[in-house]
Amino acid sequence: MSNFNSILQSLNDPQREAVQHIDGPLMVIAGAGSGKTRVLTHRVAYMLEQKINPYSILALTFTNKAAKEMKERVVQLVGDSLAKAVMMGTFHSVFYKIIRIEAEKLGFTRNVTVYDTDDSKSLIRNIVKEMDLDPKIYSASIILNRISSAKSNLLNHEDYAANPEILAMDGDSGRPFISDIFMRYNIRLKQSDAMDFDDLLYWMNVLLRDFPDVLYKYQQRFQYVLVDEYQDTNFAQYMIVKKLVAVYRNLCIVGDDAQSIYSFRGANIQNILNFKRDYPEAKIIKLEQNYRSTQNIVNAANAVIKNNKDQVYKEVWTDNDEGQKINLFQTNSDSDEAQLISNTIFEYKQNYHVSNDYFAVLYRTNAQSRAIEEALIKRNIAYVVYGGTSFYSRKEIKDVLAYFRLVINHYDEEALRRVINYPQRGIGATTVERLIVAANQNKVRIWDIVSNPQQYNLQVNKPTQERLQNFAIKIKSFSTQLTTVDAYELGLSIVKSVGIIQDLNQDKSDQDRKQNVEELLDSMKLFTEKEPESLFNEATGEIVEEYFPSLDQFLESIVLLTSEEEKKEDLTDKVKLMTIHSAKGLEFEYVFLAGLEENLFPSSLSLGSRQELEEERRLFYVGITRAKKLLTITHAATRYRFGSLQFCEPSRFLAEIPMRYINHTQKASMGKGLFYRSRGEMETQSRQSFGCPPINQIEKNKKIITERKMEAVGEPAQIDEIQVNMRVYHDKFGYGVVNQLVGDGADKKAIVLFDTVGSKTLMLKFAKLIIPK
DNA sequence: ATGGAGACCTTTTTT
DNA sequence: AGGTCTCCAT
């Protein structure tokens, strides 16, 4: 193939060496910004050039975002058809696919549902209630944490109950019944034909442990395995990989121990530190040249990470310019901090004509985004917040998805309980209680009672019995259409006939929710129109002749997604706000690190041990190394937390950055003691030195925003009145210009570029656009 | 069975 | 501060 040379050409020596090392174990320690993704993608491309069967390659990532990016870049290098045949995905999504294929062996069915964290917690709450335990002591998140870490270490409820150390720990914490909850939880999952996130990895291990034919099959299939972010793997993931590669030992792992920031979730940094012990013949390559950041940033990051004891030795360096020094600011309050950031962005945009894209504001906790958002709104700067409540965990979306789940799997208890009385159909809490009692007495599942109340002699009155039967009949009637009606058609008919749209219409304040449901339906429409991701039958490797975009296919494609990936919102030309965790793997020209204060960063919850503190430091390292050109670090003297004002000390990490990398002229500090400016001084100082527009300009902007809201007058336009390039007004999004019209009749959609919120796709029949006079 | 007012809890990070 | 959960009145 003609790309052959170019695949190797654009690499430096160690990168090329890593790409060409195909046979046998390989560990690539990739410093921040050293071209890790480049090595991974080029390595896959190179293997394909070497005529290795794409079907025998498995590439595992940690997040959907990383998987998607890898796919796209491999497609660019070798083209669509080859790249598509390579199995690339997150641990969870890849093994969910395999589990569905092998489900019967484990006592589950092909339709096995995945419970997300909310479902798991809700189930735990139910169990705690049924056991008559105090929900304050047995809080769902604590219990789930215990269960999750057990499963990540491949302990099931029996192992848990048989482990005296664990039991003693629970006893000491005043929660001796966790082991019983765990048992009931697992039983209920199985009854519901459901798995939680950790189960996907746990049961995959069981498959490979107890079914030699399955082990053999996937060992033979995946002769080449690549793992990204290996430092983030937990024991369950580590064992899966170990078993899969046991025969061919063609394992390439890429990672950076300095960027291990997920140990709270069971990630075990020892997996990467011990790689050489597991694979003594392994080749080890270090990528130490940083292509991303200035010398000042790289040096500062190195100096910080040096304070950690646990690490693989490496010296990250760069050929890039020395660059600007790191700016360090202290402000009086969190809102001043936010204003300072917003003002600085404003000034940079004006002085250097850079777009919003260049900026990212990173913080330790999601709660910090609010103040920053407010300050950006004041300056009329477009931004997008990553993380937070994901699209798929919004109530209205979860309601709709619960219907889909129930239609596919009637035994999905969480889905059933969620929708049995939503929208209200007169099946209240009392009836549900009785259903549960009857199910327990008869040793059947709740659905069995719902669909057959007489047979089990359920003690409810006639009308209630009828309501239950109508509900069951409706759900069943949808199920019969699964193979004949596509995901969009069936989804739409469920949402309509079950009364969700009507319910959302009733409450005029719920228009966002309705729009979200419409957005979900839009994405289902796209799903049915999209070419199938892979035309391979995963089990046999044969080309699939017929592909039908059914509702269960759709659900499989989204259950393991979390917000970002499927978000249709236009992300270009917006300042990005996110936690440092979600910034891992990303880079930006100008980065703000906000809230560098004791008890916030490092978090007060991480001060218990050296290991925890070192993880916080690695997090700081990750934050610093996201910046390409300029890093600005801020911290506030006071901050609102949990609704009350708290005084904050500067983070201990600040003292770990040598003074020579910090901008003295702007730094409000002398040695370790940072001095506090009065509010007035801070305002004057920041305004003058950043060349910010005077206050009255800000007031003017504010006024413009208010005026826009005021102008919401006039009758909504008819669908056909809306034309391309027309200026329109939307209740929520304000003014914008129609960019494009899609579809006809009732389903006609407009893509509108709004002045403040960017591009949105709107269903015209719902959007009620106004043509301003 | 439903809805509203008040108590209460949160804030680490994610598949 | 804001969202969720619980309890009580209807």
Side-chain angles (χ1 to χ4, degrees):
Chain A
M1 212 173 271
S2 58
N3 281 335
F4 182 75
N5 280 326
S6 65
I7 284 179
L8 293 177
Q9 239 168 27
S10 55
L11 304 169
N12 67 23
D13 287 346
Q15 285 174 341
R16 191 177 308 113
E17 203 184 347
V19 164
Q20 290 185 288
H21 182 101
I22 300 301
D23 295 310
L26 168 69
M27 169 160 86
V28 180
I29 297 288
S34 64
K36 181 192 65 144
T37 312
R38 194 177 189 83
V39 166
L40 269 175
T41 52
H42 283 243
R43 190 166 182 276
V44 172
Y46 181 79
M47 290 164 82
L48 296 172
E49 300 284 7
Q50 299 290 304
K51 300 282 179 267
I52 285 174
N53 180 0
Y55 189 68
S56 70
I57 302 173
L58 169 65
L60 295 168
T61 66
F62 217 70
T63 66
N64 291 301
K65 202 158 58 185
K68 194 178 161 201
E69 191 188 350
M70 185 155 42
K71 261 182 222 165
E72 282 167 0
R73 286 174 63 168
V74 173
V75 167
Q76 279 172 16
L77 289 167
V78 299
D80 229 38
S81 54
L82 270 181
K84 263 190 178 161
V86 178
M87 183 81 108
M88 279 183 264
T90 65
F91 276 89
H92 289 84
S93 69
V94 166
F95 298 131
Y96 180 43
K97 274 189 189 141
I98 293 177
I99 280 172
R100 273 164 59 107
I101 293 163
E102 315 288 345
E104 270 85 12
K105 297 191 177 67
L106 299 169
F108 292 83
T109 78
R110 239 203 132 74
N111 291 326
V112 56
T113 307
V114 177
Y115 274 14
D116 67 15
T117 308
D118 286 347
D119 297 319
S120 297
K121 283 184 184 168
S122 153
L123 175 54
I124 288 169
R125 270 192 290 269
N126 290 334
I127 291 170
V128 168
K129 202 182 284 173
E130 288 160 27
M131 289 173 72
D132 232 354
L133 297 168
D134 183 351
K136 288 189 187 86
I137 295 168
Y138 289 90
S139 95
S141 44
I142 290 175
I143 311 290
L144 185 59
N145 259 330
R146 296 291 289 159
I147 294 176
S148 169
S149 70
K151 286 183 177 179
S152 309
N153 286 304
L154 301 183
L155 303 176
N156 65 16
H157 59 268
E158 285 161 355
D159 304 322
Y160 195 98
N163 186 318
E165 267 176 54
I166 291 176
L167 295 182
M169 212 190 287
D170 287 344
D172 291 346
S173 75
R175 300 186 187 88
F177 292 107
I178 293 183
S179 147
D180 295 273
I181 299 171
F182 191 0
M183 179 188 67
R184 286 170 188 243
Y185 174 78
N186 266 0
I187 291 172
R188 290 281 267 282
L189 280 171
K190 198 129 193 188
Q191 279 181 350
S192 301
D193 198 9
M195 294 187 184
D196 66 17
F197 284 143
D198 301 300
D199 276 338
L200 296 174
L201 306 175
Y202 176 84
W203 288 109
M204 188 65 210
N205 268 286
V206 174
L207 271 177
L208 299 179
R209 184 191 69 198
D210 298 347
F211 300 90
D213 52 323
V214 176
L215 177 65
Y216 179 79
K217 178 165 134 194
Y218 291 103
Q219 279 177 338
Q220 292 305 316
R221 168 156 177 198
F222 297 126
Q223 297 188 11
Y224 299 88
V225 178
L226 296 89
V227 182
D228 190 15
E229 309 276 20
Y230 193 74
Q231 76 281 355
D232 287 338
T233 51
N234 63 28
F235 184 65
Q237 292 163 322
Y238 163 85
M239 284 303 290
I240 294 172
V241 170
K242 191 172 179 181
K243 283 182 172 150
L244 282 178
V245 304
V247 176
Y248 292 99
R249 295 178 83 81
N250 296 324
L251 169 63
C252 166
I253 63 127
V254 181
D256 181 5
D257 56 292
Q259 295 184 62
S260 163
I261 54 176
Y262 282 108
S263 75
F264 67 92
R265 228 171 67 190
N268 188 351
I269 194 169
Q270 296 305 322
N271 290 343
I272 195 163
L273 298 178
N274 291 339
F275 189 77
K276 188 79 188 169
R277 188 199 63 195
D278 292 333
Y279 304 92
E281 77 274 34
K283 171 102 190 157
I284 294 170
I285 295 173
K286 288 181 189 171
L287 305 180
E288 295 174 303
Q289 181 174 2
N290 176 307
Y291 292 95
R292 177 187 296 155
S293 313
T294 64
Q295 283 180 27
N296 274 320
I297 291 167
V298 169
N299 291 340
N302 282 342
V304 167
I305 203 68
K306 266 212 185 91
N307 293 290
N308 272 8
K309 229 166 127 185
D310 290 332
Q311 55 181 316
V312 176
Y313 173 78
K314 63 182 160 306
E315 195 66 50
V316 179
W317 58 279
T318 185
D319 250 355
N320 294 342
D321 290 344
E322 189 183 341
Q324 285 190 63
K325 291 188 175 177
I326 294 169
N327 288 328
L328 177 65
F329 295 112
Q330 177 173 49
T331 62
N332 275 324
S333 66
D334 48 353
S335 56
D336 281 356
E337 176 188 49
Q339 271 185 45
L340 173 77
I341 290 170
S342 176
N343 289 347
T344 310
I345 293 175
F346 191 92
E347 181 224 4
Y348 262 82
K349 284 180 61 177
Q350 289 211 322
N351 290 357
Y352 302 104
H353 302 286
V354 292
S355 67
N356 291 328
D357 269 351
Y358 278 49
F359 300 93
V361 186
L362 311 181
Y363 35 75
R364 181 65 181 72
T365 66
N366 279 313
Q368 290 168 256
S369 75
R370 182 171 315 249
I372 297 161
E373 285 183 69
E374 282 168 10
L376 290 173
I377 291 170
K378 274 189 196 159
R379 283 293 199 171
N380 231 342
I381 297 169
Y383 66 89
V384 55
V385 185
Y386 283 68
T389 349
S390 90
F391 181 73
Y392 293 107
S393 53
R394 282 162 207 258
K395 184 195 169 293
E396 62 276 17
I397 300 301
K398 290 210 72 177
D399 289 337
V400 173
L401 294 182
Y403 270 103
F404 297 173
R405 280 162 53 178
L406 190 61
V407 166
I408 293 160
N409 170 13
H410 297 166
Y411 295 121
D412 183 335
E413 185 187 321
E414 286 307 309
L416 174 65
R417 291 174 79 136
R418 197 173 177 102
V419 301
I420 193 165
N421 198 31
Y422 175 81
Q424 283 166 12
R425 50 173 72 83
I427 306 175
T430 320
T431 309
V432 173
E433 291 278 303
R434 290 189 185 146
L435 283 169
I436 292 165
V437 170
N440 284 337
Q441 275 171 359
N442 292 286
K443 302 225 180 322
V444 294
R445 298 178 268 202
I446 299 180
W447 173 261
D448 296 321
I449 313 274
V450 172
S451 57
N452 222 334
Q454 302 103 321
Q455 190 191 319
Y456 295 101
N457 196 23
L458 182 69
Q459 293 303 309
V460 291
N461 56 28
K462 253 261 134 25
T464 306
Q465 201 171 99
E466 259 168 43
R467 288 185 206 121
L468 286 173
Q469 269 173 327
N470 287 340
F471 176 69
I473 288 166
K474 198 164 233 174
I475 297 296
K476 280 185 199 157
S477 80
F478 293 130
S479 305
T480 60
Q481 300 173 54
L482 275 171
T483 50
T484 52
V485 179
D486 75 35
Y488 172 71
E489 297 288 334
L490 185 53
L492 189 65
S493 97
I494 291 173
V495 167
K496 275 184 181 162
S497 88
V498 126
I500 291 179
I501 288 285
Q502 293 88 320
D503 183 68
L504 293 176
N505 270 336
Q506 266 181 8
D507 195 344
K508 287 290 172 229
S509 65
D510 267 3
Q511 289 312 292
D512 294 8
R513 291 171 176 238
K514 203 176 95 183
Q515 258 180 355
N516 287 333
V517 171
E518 276 149 17
E519 204 176 302
L520 177 71
L521 288 168
D522 284 351
S523 76
M524 297 176 78
K525 183 86 189 157
L526 284 177
F527 173 80
T528 58
E529 288 160 356
K530 197 176 69 180
E531 255 188 74
E533 183 110 309
S534 161
L535 285 172
F536 281 93
N537 174 326
E538 303 291 353
T540 62
E542 288 160 6
I543 303 281
V544 176
E545 300 287 338
E546 280 169 63
Y547 169 81
F548 182 66
S550 60
L551 189 66
D552 51 308
Q553 295 282 343
F554 174 75
L555 207 60
E556 186 201 302
S557 77
I558 63 156
V559 276
L560 294 169
L561 288 186
T562 47
S563 69
E564 273 45 284
E565 304 76 29
E566 288 292 302
K567 206 183 252 176
K568 277 178 298 305
E569 194 180 344
D570 191 5
L571 299 179
T572 54
D573 200 30
K574 287 188 177 155
V575 176
K576 269 90 177 162
L577 272 56
M578 65 186 90
T579 62
I580 303 171
H581 278 91
S582 36
K584 190 163 90 160
L586 305 178
E587 56 181 31
F588 311 91
E589 314 288 319
Y590 304 108
V591 168
F592 294 85
L593 280 178
L596 260 287
E597 296 139 31
E598 281 296 296
N599 296 321
L600 180 61
F601 195 5
S603 159
S604 56
L605 300 172
S606 301
L607 302 176
S609 65
R610 177 176 62 85
Q611 281 76 12
E612 285 174 305
L613 185 67
E614 290 199 354
E615 176 142 320
E616 292 284 311
R617 189 178 283 112
R618 291 193 292 269
L619 192 57
F620 187 42
Y621 176 82
V622 169
I624 295 172
T625 53
R626 296 312 94 195
K628 292 162 84 169
K629 284 207 170 64
L630 175 64
L631 176 67
T632 304
I633 300 177
T634 59
H635 59 109
T638 64
R639 178 178 298 276
Y640 275 95
R641 288 184 86 188
F642 311 117
S644 66
L645 192 67
Q646 300 197 337
F647 291 91
C648 314
E649 292 290 315
S651 168
R652 69 188 72 187
F653 295 149
L654 295 177
E656 295 174 4
I657 304 175
M659 295 292 273
R660 61 183 178 282
Y661 305 127
I662 291 179
N663 198 342
H664 284 282
T665 56
Q666 289 188 327
K667 186 187 169 201
S669 92
M670 291 286 291
K672 197 178 172 291
L674 297 138
F675 74 81
Y676 294 58
R677 288 166 191 275
S678 76
R679 185 189 186 91
E681 270 176 325
M682 154 36 221
E683 288 274 297
T684 318
Q685 190 261 351
S686 64
R687 272 178 208 295
Q688 283 168 355
S689 76
F690 303 136
C692 290
I695 304 263
N696 56 14
Q697 180 62 46
I698 300 176
E699 289 304 318
K700 220 164 123 195
N701 290 345
K702 242 193 233 165
K703 209 170 147 216
I704 291 169
I705 294 172
T706 357
E707 271 168 12
R708 280 182 181 148
K709 281 200 181 119
M710 300 291 288
E711 276 175 322
V713 286
E715 285 299 301
Q718 296 299 305
I719 293 181
D720 292 331
E721 284 182 76
I722 304 291
Q723 302 292 333
V724 173
N725 287 333
M726 191 176 260
R727 193 149 176 84
V728 293
Y729 178 85
H730 183 275
D731 245 4
K732 186 172 147 217
F733 303 132
Y735 283 95
V737 175
V738 179
N739 221 330
Q740 204 186 332
L741 292 169
V742 192
D744 298 294
D747 288 332
K748 198 167 182 179
K749 278 174 281 195
I751 301 174
V752 183
L753 184 63
F754 287 102
D755 299 348
T756 47
V757 294
S759 180
K760 296 266 180 203
T761 305
L762 304 166
M763 297 275 280
L764 285 175
K765 68 177 154 181
F766 299 115
K768 299 201 187 70
L769 291 174
I770 295 169
I771 304 169
K773 300 281 177 304

